[in-house]
Amino acid sequence: MTIEQQRQGFAFTGSGFPTDQESLRFRRASSRMSAQIYHEPNSGTSPAQEEEQSGSEPTRELRNMVFPMALKKAVWQVQQMQAPAQFSGGSWKQKKTIFVRKFKSNVREFLYFFSLWGKTLQKIGGNFGGGVQSYFIFLRFLVVLNFVSFLLIAGFVLIPSIVFRSVDIKPEISEANVLSAQIHADCLKYDPNPQGLVVFYEFLLDLLSGTGFMEYSYMFYGYYNNTVVVTSLVGSDFSYNIPLAYLLTAVFYFAFCLICIIARMGKAARVAVTTGGSDVRSYSMIVFTGWDYGCLGSKATKLKQRNIYYRLQVDLEEERLKKHAASLTLCNKVTLYSLRVLMFFVAIGLIVATFVAIAYATTFSQENNNVQGFLGLFYTYLPSIVITTGNFLVPLLCDQIALLEKYPPSATVVVALLRAVVLRLVSLGILLYTLWNQIVCHGSTDTCPCHYNHSNYQCWETSVGQEMYKLTLFDLLVSIALLVLVEFPRRMVVDHWSCKLTQWVGRQEFVVPSNVLGLVYGQTVVWTGALFCPLLPLINTVKFVILFYCKKITLFYNCRPALRTFRSTTSAFFFLAVLLFGWILALVVMIYSVAEIHPSFACGPFRSFLRMWKIVPDSLAILPKGTRDFLFFIGSQAFSVPLFAVSCVFMCYFIALASIYGKSVAMLRAQLKLAGQDKQFLVKQIEKMKLLSPQDNEGKQD
């Protein structure tokens, strides 16, 4: 019987009832299952085990039978009707397990319904592939991270400061206020409040630059007090140390972001290791396990089909490029690697030129910060303009360089990301280094009594926060301007004007590496400025929400599917690794600001302290002796060195365990490959025997 005849034998009739052949198989299957249900129990098994065996064995055999799904469902229904009522503990456990499983499934579906942009992400993945989808998933992760971070800052710093100011609680005089009387009078001058009426355009300039009415508000560092609030609430003394809360909130904010990044990196690494590889096994996983049976409707089905198509396209393209690279001759390899080295130095030259331009622009902007009007606004935004221009032009040139280097798609993404990382994050480091070089006092105490450049920076923390605020705001304005002034006009010209130039330009592609680095750059700016601008995480949350919808609009209306896609599993891990690099850069900035630079005397919660970190030992000094000794022991070498040694031991153990598991997985993969080769060999032998069997029969007949 042929395969087509077998399929026709399993087909249902037009009336919806099974055919005679199917009814016969149905009766045989149901009788065999019924016989297994009513089997005689063994003397060595308990009733609970008998019930588990009677419930699991027929289901397992039915699952392994080669029948259509409708027939299996009918057999299962007959089994349920024929099964006797069970009231023992084993049946209750089985029903409890089924109930818990269904409850978890319903909760998961309920949470997915309320998940942020769930359907939009599914639509993006189906139309443009997993690589573009990973960008929007990464953007959603940053939105949630910034919002939760803002809640942390608001709960411990912002809301207590607002409450204490509104209730008009008189703060306790701290040691910082006593020391302020011994400071030079010029160091205490700081008056950011505007005098008299403010013209509307000046109000707009203040909003864009963070000066004027915004400078002395909860937005920036200089508005927060340096006092310890002590009051009586409900018959008990209540004290709140605002400087200590300000510093520890910043520390916990960085720790929380690190934990979120590491947890997400671990999840992405597991997915990358599980689905990694470009051999036959990955194709089999995509073809046989890549389908989502929860897709309902033709629209969701088409989206999933497109997603699988893009994944196969990426794997096949990488396999083709690997075969092409393996077929190169020695001369071609030498030429290719020489060209890559030359293009590497060209890219490095472009990046260094951008760094020099940023340093000159920052110095010129700080020297002309007293200019008023729109010209002063231009000078204020000059470092942001140079950074944005360099981040826009240099990656475009590096992309053209990457075309000459002829890397595989995944390697091209990695190289582009590395160059963009160095460009964006180090450019931010150059900006901060130039600012600190002007803030820090290089002379003696006689020439610099305030220990920092007070003449140009009366509250240097607020000045740094203003720079980070302007970078964040300018990045959002540039994204909106590109959408309205560049991307929409380009799409309209390409769609409605047919010529060789428009055909050559075409619709733009959604370049994932540059867009991801834009997110990492924006998040690094927020981490850097969060100590000096506490509301910056909230601003960044709003910015990323607006950016999500802007990118969604430009993706669906202005972009075409990318001609060269890449694997989303490895890219998701690399995106988080780049984000971790930005976190490290921001951590270095915070540590240097807290431990090295003298705080401003005229503003902020750490005025008159020699260093911001000095608030921690001063606060520990008022604790009870036992608590103080315990905390000092935790911070001493007697505790940290053994802890580091134990951590190294555990790390070596887990590394060795991972190596053993890796070797076991490699051996299993080799066994699967050999098993596949054996099956192919057996199939070929069977085909040869089928070809030889008719000839043998003819010989016997003769």
Side-chain angles (χ1 to χ4, degrees), residues 281-351:
R281 180 182 56 84
S282 65
Y283 304 141
S284 301
M285 289 181 62
I286 294 175
V287 173
F288 294 106
T289 65
W291 185 254
D292 184 7
Y293 290 94
C295 294
L296 299 177
S298 59
K299 192 173 183 180
T301 302
K302 290 180 180 179
L303 291 176
K304 190 63 181 178
Q305 288 174 349
R306 291 178 184 175
N307 198 326
I308 294 175
Y309 166 76
Y310 281 118
R311 292 171 63 185
L312 290 173
Q313 180 185 2
V314 171
D315 289 337
L316 292 175
E317 185 177 0
E318 289 195 354
E319 190 69 22
R320 181 184 62 82
L321 291 176
K322 286 183 179 181
K323 289 182 178 179
H324 176 71
S327 62
L328 293 176
T329 61
L330 180 61
C331 182
N332 292 333
K333 289 182 179 180
V334 171
T335 304
L336 179 61
Y337 287 119
S338 301
L339 182 62
R340 287 178 179 177
V341 171
L342 178 62
M343 292 299 103
F344 171 77
F345 284 108
V346 172
I348 291 297
L350 292 173
I351 294 173

Side-chain angles (χ1 to χ4, degrees), residues 377-451:
L377 180 65
F378 173 76
Y379 288 158
T380 301
Y381 271 90
L382 187 59
S384 302
I385 294 173
V386 174
I387 290 175
T388 304
T389 305
N391 292 336
F392 178 74
L393 293 178
V394 175
L396 291 179
L397 298 176
C398 290
D399 290 339
Q400 300 300 320
I401 291 173
L403 295 177
L404 300 175
E405 294 174 329
K406 297 180 181 180
Y407 287 111
S410 297
T412 302
V413 172
V414 172
V415 171
L417 279 173
L418 286 175
R419 289 170 178 169
V421 166
V422 174
L423 175 65
R424 288 180 177 266
L425 299 186
V426 180
S427 63
L428 180 61
I430 295 295
L431 172 65
L432 293 171
Y433 174 77
T434 307
L435 283 175
W436 279 330
N437 195 30
Q438 297 180 4
I439 292 172
V440 176
C441 192
H442 300 284
S444 60
T445 308
D446 297 334
T447 59
C448 188
C450 301
H451 304 284

Side-chain angles (χ1 to χ4, degrees), residues 620-635:
L620 292 177
I622 63 176
L623 294 175
K625 186 177 183 303
T627 305
R628 185 172 64 252
D629 293 341
F630 175 74
L631 293 177
F632 278 120
F633 171 73
I634 292 178

Side-chain angles (χ1 to χ4, degrees), residues 18-313:
T19 60
D20 295 338
Q21 184 179 2
E22 185 177 353
S23 300
L24 178 60
R25 295 185 178 183
F26 178 86
R27 288 193 297 270
R28 290 177 178 175
S30 60
S31 62
R32 183 165 57 251
M33 298 302 172
S34 302
Q36 291 181 359
I37 292 176
Y38 293 106
H39 73 284
E40 293 295 331
N42 297 327
S43 59
T45 58
S46 62
Q49 293 176 349
E50 293 171 5
E51 291 168 1
E52 292 179 359
Q53 291 176 0
S54 63
S56 61
E57 290 179 1
T59 305
R60 188 181 301 111
E61 183 172 348
L62 178 61
R63 188 184 298 115
N64 296 331
M65 295 176 67
V66 187
F67 284 158
M69 187 60 67
L71 181 59
K72 289 184 178 182
K73 186 176 180 180
V75 173
W76 181 79
Q77 291 176 353
V78 172
Q79 292 176 7
Q80 295 300 316
M81 290 186 294
Q82 294 178 351
Q86 299 176 351
F87 300 98
S88 62
S91 176
W92 181 82
K93 290 182 179 179
Q94 187 177 3
K95 290 180 180 180
K96 180 182 176 182
T97 304
I98 295 174
F99 173 77
V100 171
R101 189 184 302 115
K102 288 183 178 180
F103 178 76
K104 288 182 179 179
S105 178
N106 294 332
V107 171
R108 195 178 298 112
E109 292 178 0
F110 179 78
L111 294 178
Y112 177 77
F113 180 77
F114 287 98
S115 64
L116 188 63
W117 302 317
K119 294 183 179 179
T120 302
L121 293 174
Q122 183 185 12
K123 186 178 179 181
I124 290 171
N127 285 281
F128 296 93
V132 179
Q133 185 188 30
S134 64
Y135 164 80
F136 286 91
I137 293 175
F138 185 65
L139 178 56
R140 181 180 65 176
F141 166 70
L142 293 181
V143 169
V144 177
L145 180 67
N146 281 277
F147 182 71
V148 177
S149 301
F150 164 71
L151 294 180
L152 177 66
I153 295 174
F156 291 96
V157 177
L158 181 62
I159 295 177
S161 299
I162 295 175
V163 170
F164 295 152
R165 282 181 180 271
S166 61
V167 179
D168 196 18
I169 298 177
K170 293 183 179 180
E172 183 185 73
I173 299 177
S174 64
E175 182 185 356
N177 297 108
V178 176
L179 292 177
S180 63
Q182 306 174 2
I183 302 172
H184 196 276
D186 293 337
C187 299
L188 299 177
K189 292 181 179 180
Y190 179 61
D191 186 17
N193 294 322
Q195 301 296 329
L197 296 176
V198 179
V199 187
F200 176 73
Y201 82 89
E202 292 184 357
F203 179 85
L204 181 62
L205 294 179
D206 292 339
L207 180 64
L208 294 176
S209 60
T211 57
F213 74 97
M214 290 193 66
E215 182 173 354
Y216 200 66
S217 65
Y218 290 105
M219 177 70 68
F220 294 107
Y221 165 92
Y223 189 71
Y224 292 88
N225 290 326
N226 67 327
T227 53
V228 179
V229 178
V230 178
T231 184
S232 297
L233 295 176
V234 198
S236 60
D237 293 336
F238 171 78
S239 63
Y240 198 85
N241 194 330
I242 293 179
L244 183 63
Y246 193 97
L247 182 60
L248 293 183
T249 301
V251 173
F252 283 113
Y253 165 58
F254 271 78
F256 168 74
C257 293
L258 176 63
I259 292 172
C260 293
I261 294 173
I262 294 298
R264 199 170 182 87
M265 282 184 68
K267 183 178 179 181
R270 288 194 297 270
V271 174
V273 171
T274 304
T275 61
S278 59
D279 51 1
V280 180
R281 180 182 56 84
S282 65
Y283 304 141
S284 301
M285 289 181 62
I286 294 175
V287 173
F288 294 106
T289 65
W291 185 254
D292 184 7
Y293 290 94
C295 294
L296 299 177
S298 59
K299 192 173 183 180
T301 302
K302 290 180 180 179
L303 291 176
K304 190 63 181 178
Q305 288 174 349
R306 291 178 184 175
N307 198 326
I308 294 175
Y309 166 76
Y310 281 118
R311 292 171 63 185
L312 290 173
Q313 180 185 2

